[in-house]
Amino acid sequence: MLKEIKIYFKFIKMHILSGLEYKGWWMMCVQTVFIVITDPISVLLLFSRFGGIGEWTMERILLIYALAVASFGLAESFCRGFDYFPWKMIQSGDFDRLLLRPHSLFTQVAGSYFHLHRLPRPITGIIAVIWLLSRMNVPFSPLNFIILALALAGGVLTYTGVFIMTSGLAFFTIKGLDWIYIFTNASYQVTRCPIDYMPKLLKNAFTFFMPMLVISYYPASAVCGWGEPVFTGFLALPAGVAFLGFSVAIWKVGVRHYKSTGS
């Protein structure tokens, strides 16, 4: 296990060094920051024009959104290989090369891609969380720090699970599934909608099927005291672990059913 972790970080190091060779890498980082900052601009304009929606203020919405963005950004940065897997390895047959190497398939796929310009997304999200908590006068107590740390960890596992599940399904479809982006890129956009006004079907889907609200809304509620039981703020990590385990199981089934392009 330790050996595989070392190999993974060697992959990441190589990707970082190769990315730095591109002289315009910093411009791509600036572009990512610009996108993250301007993405919720519609929410800002809405609240600045009409004020709050019931008990929901702009800070509430942005805090939940920032937690989701930070989690997604970390998963996207460090497990990018699974996001690219259906297009880059299944259709091209490159997965055959991975099967011949004496290392974990999971490590090889996870470390196969790393884009340096993706890192500003989680960094910006974390900075936004800290700023919003300060703006809402929420104390940075040890308990709140633990809840938020567990939320980020659970969020990373959840979004990594989505990427892995997509890769597992690709063994049967032989191509990427565009609808799966509802649960990745589109899912953290859902957090911009107040949960009280969210359709029940959508709320249940992102709570019990894919726990996107468990890793964003409930930790924020526990930290800020929005009426939800405090223990729900600690559910992010176990929910992330459970969903990741489910996704890994799908991945393993897919690997067992893989037919080489040369067979």
Side-chain angles (χ1 to χ4, degrees):
M1 182 65 178
L2 184 60
K3 182 180 178 181
E4 295 298 329
I5 293 175
K6 290 181 178 180
I7 292 173
Y8 168 78
F9 281 106
K10 283 184 178 179
F11 285 151
I12 299 301
K13 182 180 179 181
M14 287 189 296
H15 289 307
I16 291 175
L17 293 176
S18 62
L20 291 174
E21 289 296 317
Y22 173 57
K23 294 181 179 179
W25 66 269
W26 63 272
M27 296 180 63
M28 300 179 70
C29 291
V30 171
Q31 178 189 14
T32 303
V33 173
F34 178 78
I35 292 173
V36 174
I37 292 176
T38 58
D39 201 26
I41 195 169
S42 59
V43 176
L44 299 175
L45 293 175
L46 178 66
F47 278 92
S48 64
R49 178 65 178 84
F50 299 102
I53 304 176
E55 296 182 351
W56 289 88
T57 62
M58 178 181 66
E59 287 80 7
R60 278 195 179 194
I61 296 295
L62 291 181
L63 177 60
I64 299 170
Y65 174 76
L67 279 172
V69 167
S71 299
F72 174 78
L74 288 170
E76 181 189 41
S77 298
F78 292 98
C79 285
R80 189 69 174 174
F82 282 102
D83 192 24
Y84 276 78
F85 181 82
W87 292 271
K88 299 295 185 179
M89 293 189 182
I90 291 292
Q91 290 183 335
S92 65
D94 287 345
F95 187 64
D96 290 3
R97 292 189 290 107
L98 272 60
L99 292 170
L100 297 174
R101 296 172 180 171
H103 292 294
S104 167
L105 291 174
F106 191 93
T107 302
Q108 293 184 72
V109 175
S112 59
Y113 288 92
F114 179 86
H115 294 157
L116 186 62
H117 66 275
R118 298 288 180 177
L119 282 178
R121 187 191 298 273
I123 294 173
T124 305
I126 292 172
I127 292 174
V129 169
I130 296 172
W131 176 73
L132 288 164
L133 290 175
S134 177
R135 184 178 174 86
M136 298 169 69
N137 296 319
V138 177
F140 291 95
S141 64
L143 179 62
N144 288 344
F145 177 81
I146 292 173
I147 292 175
L148 293 174
L150 292 177
L152 285 176
V156 172
L157 295 180
T158 298
Y159 282 112
T160 299
V162 175
F163 295 142
I164 294 174
M165 183 177 66
T166 306
S167 300
L169 294 175
F171 285 108
F172 302 96
T173 61
I174 319 300
K175 62 179 181 179
L177 301 171
D178 291 336
W179 60 265
I180 206 70
Y181 285 108
I182 296 174
F183 300 102
T184 54
N185 300 63
S187 67
Y188 66 81
Q189 302 292 346
V190 173
T191 59
R192 296 190 296 183
C193 174
I195 192 172
D196 296 337
Y197 303 96
M198 193 177 294
K200 187 175 181 180
L201 179 62
L202 196 64
K203 179 180 176 180
N204 290 335
F206 286 109
T207 300
F208 302 106
F209 178 51
M210 292 187 174
M212 308 309 178
L213 293 176
V214 179
I215 56 95
S216 57
Y217 167 71
Y218 289 103
S221 177
V223 168
C224 298
W226 294 341
E228 300 290 347
V230 176
F231 77 88
T232 58
F234 294 92
L235 296 178
L237 184 57
V241 170
F243 185 74
L244 179 63
F246 171 72
S247 301
V248 170
I250 294 177
W251 160 264
K252 289 183 178 179
V253 171
V255 171
R256 287 199 297 268
H257 288 78
Y258 174 70
K259 293 183 179 180
S260 171
T261 54
S263 61

